[in-house]
Amino acid sequence: MEAGGRRRGAALSAALLALSALALLLLLLPPPQALRAGSELPPGLLEELRQRRRDLRRLAAGGAAAEGGLRCGDVRRAAGAAPVLGSGFTKVVVRAALAGGGAVALKSVHGAGREVRQCEQRYGAPAGCRRLAAYKLLKEVTLLRRLRHPGIVQLHGQCYDGGGEPEAGVTAVLELGAPLEMIQLLQTPWEERFKICLGLVELLFYLAHSPLGSIVLLDFQPRQFVMVDGNVKVTDMDDASTEELSCEEDNDCTLDFPTKSFPLQCSSAGKCEGINEKRNLFNAYRYFFTYLLPHSAPPALQPFLSDILNATGNLRYGINETLRAFEKVLHLYKSGLYLQKRPLLLKDYISLQGFRTEEAEAYKCWPSYSHLGCLLSVHSPEEAAAICSSQPQCQSFIITQQRTWTGRPLASFQSSPTDLIPDTTAVVYIKRSASLGRRL
C-alpha cells in the first residue's frame, strides 16, 4: 500500500511538470503591460509589489527550476466543479483528481479574499492587488520547492498561465490532507497524540537548521496544518520568514506573546539570537503540547512530559534539547523501560494459546483505538494484565496482531467472556477469578 502510494506520487510528480526557469523569471518580473501602466499604480502599492518581488527573488536564488510547464487551464479543467476545501485571507484550496494520479489539493489566489478586497479598498487597483496576492502564493511555491521534510506538505507541481485573462496566474498542486481538528485529536489515544507532537518537534528542528537558514512560521496555528496518513504536516508557508529580527541592543530583542514575554540577546551580527527558533517552539507549546501531551499518558512517563512542558513553556529548552527529550520519552515507551518497578499481575491470569473468546457483552474505555470496545496499546501481556486488573469490567484480554506506529501490539479487553473459539494466531488471557466455575 505504501509502495503503491510512492509510485503514484512519483508518477504524479513526473506528470506535473513544474515551472521552467524561463517561466519563473517571468513570474519574478512584472508583465510588459504592468511596466507600461506602472506609473498608474499608487506609489504605496508599487512599493509593496517591489518588496514582495525582492523577497521572492531572494528565496528563489540558488533553487533549481524544473523544466517544462503545465498550463493552469488544464489543471482547472481537471478540477471541474471540485469542492472547496477551504479559503483564507489570500488563497483558496479545492480538491481535484488529475488524470493518472490520485486526489490532490489545488491552491490559487482567492480573488474575493480579504487581502485582495482590502488592497482594492486601499489602492483602487484590482489588477495590481491580484498580482500582490499572487506573490504570496509564489513565495509559498518557492519555499515548498526548496524545503523537503516529512512534516511539510509535498508540492507535486505548479502551473503558470501567462494569458491576459483576469483569472490568469499560478496554481500550486499539493499533497491532499485532512484539516487538523484539535477536538478530535483530544479523543485519540495518547500514543497518537505523542506522535503528532514528536512530528512537530522534528519539523521545527528542520526549520531551525534549514538550507535557507532559521525559518519562523509567523502564522503558527493549528489551522495551518493538515493530517496525511496519520502524520501532521504544515500546509501554509506564505507567512514563513527566513529573516531574524535586527537589533542594536538586548532591549530590542523581547519576544512577546499574549501571556508571556521573553528577553533574548542581540548577537554581534546585529540579530536577535535564536528568535525564530524560540517563537516556533513556544507556539508549538501553547497550541499543541499543552493540550496533547499530558492527558492519559502512562503515569511513569508523566514526570518526563511535565519537564518538557515546563522547559518549552519557559523556553529553557531550545529545539535541540526538546528533540532529545522527546526521543528519550519515545525510547522509554517503545522499550518498556517505563514499566519497571511495577507489581507483576499476569500470574493472576490463565493463558490459553490458540483460542480467543466470543464476547457477549462489550464494554468501552477511553481513549480506545476502537469506538466499539476497549482496544489499547500495550508493551507486553504483563502491561495488559495490569490494565485489565485496574478495570472492574475487564474479565479477559487478547493480544491482537495489530500494531501501532511504534510497533506495539493492540490488546482487546473484554467483559463476560463466553465460548472459546479456536484461533491459531491468538492467545486469550482470562482472570483466574472469572474462570472459576467455567470449563476451560
Side-chain angles (χ1 to χ4, degrees):
M1 189 77 175
E2 190 173 323
R6 286 197 297 268
R7 286 195 296 270
R8 286 193 297 272
L12 182 60
S13 296
L16 298 177
L17 298 175
L19 288 168
S20 65
L22 176 60
L24 183 58
L25 179 61
L26 289 173
L27 289 171
L28 295 178
L29 296 172
Q33 61 268 30
L35 289 175
R36 290 194 298 269
S39 59
E40 299 175 6
L41 293 177
L45 179 55
L46 280 173
E47 181 54 36
E48 288 195 55
L49 285 167
R50 291 190 188 104
Q51 179 58 46
R52 290 195 182 179
R53 196 176 304 130
R54 285 193 296 266
D55 190 32
L56 183 59
R57 282 173 174 160
R58 178 176 51 79
L59 292 174
E67 296 299 325
L70 180 68
R71 293 187 64 81
C72 290
D74 299 331
V75 174
R76 293 194 186 100
R77 280 193 293 275
V84 174
L85 297 177
S87 61
F89 192 74
T90 306
K91 294 160 294 184
V92 62
V93 183
V94 301
R95 177 191 178 105
L98 297 178
V104 295
L106 302 182
K107 184 180 289 189
S108 57
V109 172
H110 189 10
R114 286 176 57 195
E115 174 159 7
V116 173
R117 287 190 285 108
Q118 289 178 2
C119 175
E120 290 178 356
Q121 291 170 3
R122 191 164 59 248
Y123 297 120
C129 288
R130 285 194 295 272
R131 196 181 316 139
L132 185 68
Y135 272 114
K136 293 192 73 171
L137 181 55
L138 288 170
K139 173 187 175 181
E140 185 168 20
V141 166
T142 302
L143 283 171
L144 291 176
R145 291 172 65 239
R146 302 283 315 267
L147 303 174
R148 297 290 181 177
H149 187 268
I152 300 176
V153 72
Q154 184 180 353
L155 176 72
H156 290 310
Q158 63 273 351
C159 59
Y160 172 64
D161 193 332
E165 66 273 14
E167 70 275 13
V170 65
T171 298
V173 185
L174 304 172
E175 182 178 26
L176 183 65
L180 191 149
E181 301 288 350
M182 290 298 292
I183 294 179
Q184 293 180 6
L185 290 180
L186 290 171
Q187 300 173 29
T188 60
W190 175 83
E191 186 174 327
E192 300 306 312
R193 288 182 271 122
F194 178 80
K195 178 184 180 182
I196 290 172
C197 293
L198 175 62
L200 277 174
V201 171
E202 291 172 339
L203 169 63
L204 298 190
F205 180 84
Y206 173 79
L207 293 179
H209 307 284
S210 87
L212 300 175
S214 182
I215 296 176
V216 62
L217 302 177
L218 294 173
D219 191 16
F220 193 120
Q221 296 189 58
R223 66 169 179 264
Q224 308 296 340
F225 294 84
V226 295
M227 297 296 296
V228 180
D229 297 328
N231 299 300
V232 64
K233 299 194 178 196
V234 61
T235 187
D236 205 333
M237 296 286 290
D238 65 348
D239 286 315
S241 174
T242 59
E243 294 293 309
E244 290 200 300
L245 186 65
S246 298
C247 59
E248 295 182 358
E249 57 183 21
D250 289 351
N251 288 337
D252 298 329
C253 294
T254 301
L255 182 57
D256 290 317
F257 292 95
T259 59
K260 277 190 176 182
S261 295
F262 300 95
L264 304 180
Q265 292 185 336
C266 182
S267 70
S268 57
K271 297 290 183 180
C272 294
E273 195 170 337
I275 192 168
N276 287 352
E277 171 187 329
K278 293 181 185 298
R279 184 185 297 275
N280 284 341
L281 187 55
F282 188 79
N283 277 327
Y285 158 80
R286 67 181 181 136
Y287 286 119
F288 289 92
F289 300 167
T290 301
Y291 302 104
L292 301 182
L293 268 186
H295 307 297
S296 69
L301 293 179
Q302 288 178 0
F304 300 97
L305 299 175
S306 294
D307 187 55
I308 289 175
L309 288 170
N310 290 331
T312 54
N314 294 318
L315 290 184
R316 177 163 50 89
Y317 280 178
I319 190 59
N320 296 353
E321 297 86 354
T322 303
L323 180 57
R324 285 196 293 269
F326 269 84
E327 289 174 340
K328 178 180 180 179
V329 171
L330 180 62
H331 172 68
L332 292 172
Y333 187 67
K334 290 178 67 174
S335 65
L337 291 174
Y338 71 101
L339 295 171
Q340 292 179 351
K341 301 179 181 179
R342 293 182 60 169
L344 302 179
L345 298 174
L346 192 60
K347 65 182 184 303
D348 298 331
Y349 292 77
I350 297 173
S351 65
L352 299 173
Q353 181 79 38
F355 291 94
R356 60 182 172 86
T357 59
E358 179 179 328
E359 189 175 14
E361 180 183 350
Y363 81 93
K364 299 178 182 180
C365 63
W366 183 88
S368 170
Y369 279 85
S370 170
H371 297 301
L372 302 178
C374 188
L375 189 65
L376 303 176
S377 168
V378 297
H379 175 261
S380 62
E382 186 64 60
E383 184 180 17
I387 293 173
C388 188
S389 297
S390 69
Q391 298 180 350
Q393 313 98 307
C394 184
Q395 298 298 312
S396 67
F397 63 88
I398 296 172
I399 306 297
T400 73
Q401 299 299 307
Q402 295 174 266
R403 294 291 186 271
T404 68
W405 66 276
T406 60
R408 288 162 54 104
L410 293 180
S412 175
F413 297 88
Q414 303 169 342
S415 63
S416 303
T418 54
D419 297 332
L420 294 175
I421 302 173
D423 186 338
T424 57
T425 65
V427 180
V428 61
Y429 297 85
I430 302 176
K431 280 183 179 178
R432 292 183 183 275
S433 57
S435 67
L436 293 178
R438 294 181 183 273
R439 193 179 71 176
L440 298 176

